[in-house]
Amino acid sequence: MSVLSDTIEGFIKSLIMEGQKEIELQRNELAHHFSCAPSQINYVLATRFSLDKGYAVQSRRGGGGYIRVIRLETDGEDFIAGLIRSRIGERITQHEAYAIIGRLVEAGFINEREKCLMKSSVSDNALSVPAVVKDVLRAKIMRTQLTALLCEGGGHE
Amino acid sequence: MSVLSDTIEGFIKSLIMEGQKEIELQRNELAHHFSCAPSQINYVLATRFSLDKGYAVQSRRGGGGYIRVIRLETDGEDFIAGLIRSRIGERITQHEAYAIIGRLVEAGFINEREKCLMKSSVSDNALSVPAVVKDVLRAKIMRTQLTALLCEGGGHE
DNA sequence: AATATAAAAGTCAAAGAAAGACTAAACACG
DNA sequence: CGTGTTTAGTCTTTCTTTGACTTTTATATT
């Protein structure tokens, strides 16, 4: 066996492979099962189940809390993940953002109403912050939106 | 259903869904049915059936007491306009924002996908700005989004 | 009618349960 | 070495559950 994180990664993946495209797990229970610190689970999730690896993670705290790992098997996964990485990046202007949103419509990933929603929330008008941070904020919002669209069907964060 | 409160919430909602827009229930009876402390019912009502979430709760103590849960009517064209004016205002927390978005879903103004989109774009996570301006920015974005939806027209499908 | 009793529901605070964030140490590897 | 990855530990935050105590109301008793 390689390192512990790989073992945990494999364990989670084996759970997902059994038909479903998403599983729910208990952080403490899992940590106990592998005799490690609970935060190790977070580490594995962050490094092995990130968006560009094709996964989304949702969770909930408190009594009855859980961590849900979702395998993204959308056809557009690569397309959108690629978009996030290469076209959006750390900052983006309103002009560029609108262009990308337009492409999403053409590609059939979003409809007209969703286009409206997205455009309105990343418009210069809505983002009433200093110019220096506006493009950074817009990029962050767009990334978050696209990620949310990818795991649509799950619960909430 | 993972946790007791969710189960109770579902139970109450299923009662309401059966046609009526309001139901009456007995706190102790309900608590006994779910084998929990009576005050747990209050907790569920407070967290799941708040005004923000589109419900009103009335009650009466003493012999023959009751708890009445009323689903607030939301049809009417200026529902959203009213929301913008009275419930969002100049600033809004993530918690309040999510509640309102949930209400939009229940009222049939937006669908699950649009909910995801809206929630993601006003999440604390997406709005990476100093805490002082975060709630103001969130309110601005929400207002812009809702306005955009109004212009687009109600028919999502 | 006045009072006592019992039957509700309300409030609040404490305890418990779970995940998140952050930090620091240990390890691997060029 | 030095740098990046892994592991562990601790503290914080969020959400749930319970219990003790209070307040209100209807009903029975005197």
Side-chain angles (χ1 to χ4, degrees):
Chain A
M1 267 310 175
S2 41
V3 287
L4 181 55
S5 289
D6 292 340
T7 312
I8 298 176
E9 173 189 5
F11 181 78
I12 295 177
K13 281 190 172 158
S14 76
L15 288 181
I16 295 186
M17 286 318 156
E18 284 165 9
Q20 308 89 341
K21 78 177 194 71
E22 65 177 74
I23 49 141
E24 252 179 45
L25 42 93
Q26 231 73 29
R27 190 179 77 150
N28 287 339
E29 183 189 299
L30 200 56
H32 186 258
H33 182 250
F34 286 102
S35 309
C36 64
S39 53
Q40 174 100 26
I41 307 302
N42 294 94
Y43 176 75
V44 173
L45 292 173
T47 56
R48 268 76 161 184
F49 295 87
S50 58
L51 176 66
D52 44 328
K53 299 244 165 67
Y55 292 89
V57 176
Q58 303 172 339
S59 67
R60 171 170 165 179
R61 307 189 188 191
Y66 59 80
I67 293 180
R68 184 183 300 145
V69 183
I70 306 170
R71 144 130 241 150
L72 307 172
E73 46 199 341
T74 323
D75 289 341
E77 173 214 318
D78 287 341
F79 176 66
I80 292 187
L83 216 55
I84 294 176
R85 228 185 352 267
S86 65
R87 294 288 313 276
I88 300 180
E90 272 312 302
R91 63 183 63 240
I92 190 171
T93 65
Q94 172 181 289
H95 198 75
E96 292 167 330
Y98 280 16
I100 289 178
I101 294 172
R103 282 189 56 199
L104 288 171
V105 175
E106 287 174 14
F109 284 111
I110 62 173
N111 60 30
E112 283 295 321
R113 233 170 107 91
E114 289 154 3
K115 181 184 81 175
C116 268
L117 220 39
M118 288 191 70
K119 284 175 72 171
S120 65
S121 47
V122 299
S123 65
D124 275 337
N125 186 262
L127 307 181
S128 46
V129 294
V132 250
V133 293
K134 188 171 281 199
D135 289 349
V136 174
L137 175 61
R138 176 162 27 229
K140 184 74 185 283
I141 293 178
M142 273 194 86
R143 286 198 304 270
T144 311
Q145 283 184 328
L146 292 178
T147 305
L149 277 188
L150 282 179
C151 43
E152 204 277 309
H156 67 138
E157 55 283 8
Chain B
M1 281 286 190
S2 53
V3 97
L4 183 55
S5 288
D6 291 341
T7 311
I8 298 175
E9 172 190 3
F11 181 78
I12 296 177
K13 280 192 172 157
S14 77
L15 289 181
I16 295 185
M17 288 316 158
E18 285 165 8
Q20 308 89 344
K21 78 182 197 72
E22 66 178 75
I23 50 141
E24 252 179 45
L25 40 92
Q26 230 75 27
R27 190 180 78 148
N28 287 339
E29 183 190 300
L30 199 55
H32 186 259
H33 181 250
F34 287 102
S35 310
C36 64
S39 53
Q40 174 111 28
I41 306 302
N42 294 91
Y43 175 75
V44 173
L45 292 173
T47 56
R48 269 76 160 178
F49 295 89
S50 61
L51 253 178
D52 271 352
K53 301 235 162 86
Y55 293 88
V57 176
Q58 302 171 339
S59 66
R60 182 167 184 174
R61 309 185 187 192
Y66 59 83
I67 294 179
R68 185 182 299 145
V69 183
I70 305 170
R71 175 191 195 93
L72 298 177
E73 283 306 327
T74 45
D75 24 63
E77 299 75 24
D78 34 29
F79 173 62
I80 292 189
L83 223 48
I84 296 177
R85 210 176 26 255
S86 65
R87 298 220 53 86
I88 299 180
E90 268 315 298
R91 62 183 64 237
I92 190 171
T93 66
Q94 171 182 288
H95 202 79
E96 294 166 331
Y98 279 16
I100 289 176
I101 294 172
R103 227 183 132 176
L104 289 171
V105 174
E106 295 204 352
F109 283 111
I110 62 175
N111 61 29
E112 282 294 320
R113 221 170 121 89
E114 288 154 2
K115 178 183 84 174
C116 270
L117 218 41
M118 289 192 69
K119 283 175 72 170
S120 64
S121 44
V122 299
S123 66
D124 275 337
N125 188 266
L127 306 183
S128 46
V129 295
V132 254
V133 293
K134 188 170 281 200
D135 289 350
V136 175
L137 175 60
R138 177 165 22 235
K140 185 72 185 281
I141 294 178
M142 270 193 89
R143 286 197 306 269
T144 312
Q145 283 183 331
L146 291 178
T147 306
L149 277 186
L150 280 179
C151 295
E152 227 286 306
H156 70 268
E157 179 221 339

